[in-house]
């Protein structure tokens, strides 16, 4: 669906991190709704490199893009010279900057800040050079363990990933440049194309796949009280589109405004799938840097961007379920 009367057909659009979960959804959204838009994806794509926690350093996967008909370029946000070589001689009308080390449990502070924060300065330089608005992915992780509802201006990241996003947002909040810069603090996003995030994919997918395989859904102890603001990827796309065309600069929360428990996610999935498997409770190994409660205050997102979340958790999961079943059939049950 279209969220604005602005016509992106004929526009040149750069999406960093476009081989990842959210970036690929955005690229495919433009392809579907604005077939005349020229979309270019820049992504590092996955390699062999892993963090000590076992997770891959870059999660982009070609399978997210098999239906994409635009341009794909491999490039490393952590390499300033390479980005200048690839992008320096080109010009885009909009930049959607989704590329990042997205792993909230990774500990390599220098590497995360180099890729997430340093590249942001360069992305802003490109935006200024081209006169292209920059919309970028921030995160609800900036709020750390603060009690919700979470508001812009009250942050306390509990991990270096959240810190990297907060540093980007601080640049935006002081931004005096010529182009609009919009930071979108996504909360817990779920939806198609997240399978390749592996262990860092949402609990909606992970629990869905466990239930489909007939196993007990695994939840951290106390999960009826661990609540998050779960947001369907389609609403994240909406926020990106609105962020690009409103001409405002600022940082905005992107959630539903509602906190729901992991136990509720499990219950919704079991109801939709017609199962009643017993839960397996497991200890939470991440308690030090874990967010036990997130809830986005979306007042300013509604007011300044005209953003209206369209999917409550039940609706988002119901819409997503056929894709979870396809993933189970084609990628898991093989
Ligand atoms: N999924 C969520 O719940 C969520 C929540 C808050 C914020 N975010 C942010 O949204 C954005 C997209 O997240 P996602 O969930 O799609 O994660 P993702 O890991 O699937 O996507 C990130 C993409 O960035 C690419 N990338 C990583 N390092 C790179 C580098 N050095 N150079 C070029 N590309 C590189 C990856 O290959 C990947 O395709 C990220 O900035 C993430 O921090 C996501």
């Amino acid at each position: 669906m279209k969220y604005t009367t602005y016509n992106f057909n004929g526009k040149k659009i750069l999406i960093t991190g476009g081989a990842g979960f959210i970036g690929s959804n955005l690229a495919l959204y433009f392809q579907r709704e604005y077939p005349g838009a020229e979309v270019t994806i820049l992504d590092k794509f996955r390699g062999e490199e892993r963090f000590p926690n076992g997770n891959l350093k870059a999660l982009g996967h070609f399978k997210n893009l098999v239906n994409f008909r635009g341009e794909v370029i491999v490039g490393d946000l952590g390499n300033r010279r390479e980005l200048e070589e690839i992008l320096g001689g080109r010009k885009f009308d909009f930049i959607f900057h989704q590329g990042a080390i997205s792993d909230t449990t990774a500990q390599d502070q220098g590497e995360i800040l180099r890729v997430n924060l340093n590249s942001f300065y360069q992305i802003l330089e490109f935006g200024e050079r081209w006169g292209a608005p920059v919309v970028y992915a921030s995160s609800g992780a900036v709020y750390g363990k603060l009690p919700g509802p979470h508001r812009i201006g009250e942050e306390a990241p509990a991990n270096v990933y959240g810190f990297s996003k907060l540093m980007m947002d601080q640049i935006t909040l002081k931004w005096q440049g010529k182009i609009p810069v919009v930071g979108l603090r996504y909360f817990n996003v779920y939806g198609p194309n997240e399978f390749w995030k592996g262990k860092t994919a949402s609990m909606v997918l992970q629990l869905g796949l466990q239930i489909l395989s007939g196993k007990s859904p695994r939840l951290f102890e106390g999960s009826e009280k661990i609540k998050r603001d779960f947001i369907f990827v389609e609403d994240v796309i909406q926020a990106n589109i609105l962020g690009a065309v409103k001409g405002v600069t600022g940082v905005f929360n992107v959630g539903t405004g509602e906190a729901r428990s992991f136990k509720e996610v499990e219950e919704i999935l079991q109801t939709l799938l017609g199962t009643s498997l017993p839960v397996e409770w497991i200890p939470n190994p991440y308690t030090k840097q874990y967010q036990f409660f997130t809830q986005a205050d979306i007042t300013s997102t509604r007011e300044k961007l005209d953003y209206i979340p369209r999917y409550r958790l039940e609706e988002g999961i119901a819409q997503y379920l056929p894709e979870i079943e396809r993933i189970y059939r084609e990628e898991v049950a093989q």
Side-chain angles (χ1 to χ4, degrees):
M1 104 173 243
K2 289 195 168 63
Y3 300 107
T4 171
T5 52
Y6 183 88
N7 186 0
F8 286 95
N9 284 313
K11 299 296 175 194
K12 291 188 166 57
I13 293 164
L14 174 65
I15 302 178
T16 72
F21 164 37
I22 295 167
S24 62
N25 274 283
L26 191 56
L28 294 168
Y29 173 85
F30 279 116
Q31 181 168 299
R32 190 171 68 239
E33 298 291 339
Y34 302 97
E38 290 178 43
V39 180
T40 297
I41 282 172
L42 180 128
D43 201 293
K44 186 175 174 182
F45 284 79
R46 64 186 49 205
E48 304 284 316
E49 272 184 298
R50 289 180 189 272
F51 288 114
N53 66 10
N55 296 336
L56 285 167
K57 285 195 175 176
L59 294 165
H61 199 297
F62 79 89
K63 281 208 175 177
N64 286 334
L65 296 175
V66 285
N67 295 316
F68 177 62
R69 296 293 167 260
E71 182 185 32
V72 176
I73 305 175
V74 181
D76 184 352
L77 287 165
N79 185 333
R80 191 177 172 86
R81 196 174 306 152
E82 183 179 290
L83 281 198
E84 185 58 41
E85 270 169 28
I86 295 170
L87 298 173
R90 306 189 55 165
K91 190 175 185 307
F92 291 88
D93 299 301
F94 292 93
I95 304 174
F96 293 90
H97 179 44
Q98 312 291 328
I101 293 174
S102 63
D103 185 346
T104 57
T105 63
Q107 304 287 343
D108 187 337
Q109 303 194 6
E111 174 81 346
I112 291 170
L113 289 165
R114 197 171 56 82
V115 172
N116 293 8
L117 178 60
N118 282 10
S119 65
F120 187 54
Y121 292 98
Q122 200 177 358
I123 291 289
L124 292 177
E125 282 169 31
F126 284 129
E128 287 270 277
R129 206 185 293 173
W130 302 329
V134 174
V135 182
Y136 71 92
S138 180
S139 171
V142 299
Y143 298 111
K145 290 170 174 256
L146 291 176
H150 299 300
R151 297 189 180 89
I152 315 293
E154 298 165 10
E155 296 87 4
N159 53 47
V160 64
Y161 164 81
F163 176 78
S164 75
K165 298 291 185 178
L166 180 58
M167 292 303 102
M168 294 164 73
D169 292 350
Q170 290 192 346
I171 295 165
T172 304
L173 292 168
K174 292 184 200 143
W175 179 249
Q176 305 272 330
K178 291 185 223 69
I179 48 152
V181 179
V182 176
L184 300 174
R185 289 181 177 170
Y186 311 152
F187 278 60
N188 270 74
V189 192
Y190 62 97
N193 291 7
E194 63 168 317
F195 174 68
W196 301 105
K197 292 182 71 176
K199 279 193 201 147
T200 68
S202 79
M203 285 304 289
V204 174
L205 178 66
Q206 303 204 32
L207 291 168
L209 293 176
Q210 288 162 14
I211 295 165
L212 284 168
S213 64
K215 291 185 200 139
S216 284
R218 301 175 85 211
L219 288 174
F220 288 150
E221 285 156 358
S223 278
E224 50 308 343
K225 291 201 198 101
I226 307 177
K227 293 188 176 178
R228 297 280 179 88
D229 192 331
F230 295 99
I231 179 88
F232 191 47
V233 68
E234 186 61 31
D235 279 333
V236 170
I237 302 306
Q238 178 201 162
N240 273 274
I241 298 300
L242 293 170
V245 299
K246 291 289 173 187
V248 294
T249 286
V251 177
F252 301 94
N253 284 336
V254 179
T256 60
E258 246 191 304
R260 305 289 298 270
S261 75
F262 286 112
K263 183 79 178 76
E264 284 177 284
V265 172
E266 173 264 324
E267 285 164 7
I268 294 167
L269 282 161
Q270 295 236 44
T271 304
L272 288 170
L273 290 167
T275 55
S276 47
L277 294 159
V279 169
E280 181 188 339
W281 299 98
I282 55 172
N284 182 347
Y286 304 113
T287 45
K288 260 197 186 158
Q289 53 174 39
Y290 198 73
Q291 289 185 293
F292 285 89
F293 186 88
T294 65
Q295 182 183 15
D297 178 339
I298 54 171
T299 313
S300 65
T301 328
R302 284 182 186 276
E303 284 174 8
K304 299 259 173 60
L305 299 186
D306 294 327
Y307 162 83
I308 306 162
R310 288 181 160 75
Y311 295 86
R312 288 196 72 221
L313 186 59
E314 286 78 357
E315 292 150 2
I317 294 182
Q319 173 127 341
Y320 184 18
L321 201 59
E323 174 62 11
I324 300 179
E325 291 176 310
R326 186 194 68 78
I327 287 283
Y328 178 70
R329 274 194 318 274
E330 294 183 14
E331 303 290 351
V332 181
Q334 289 298 314

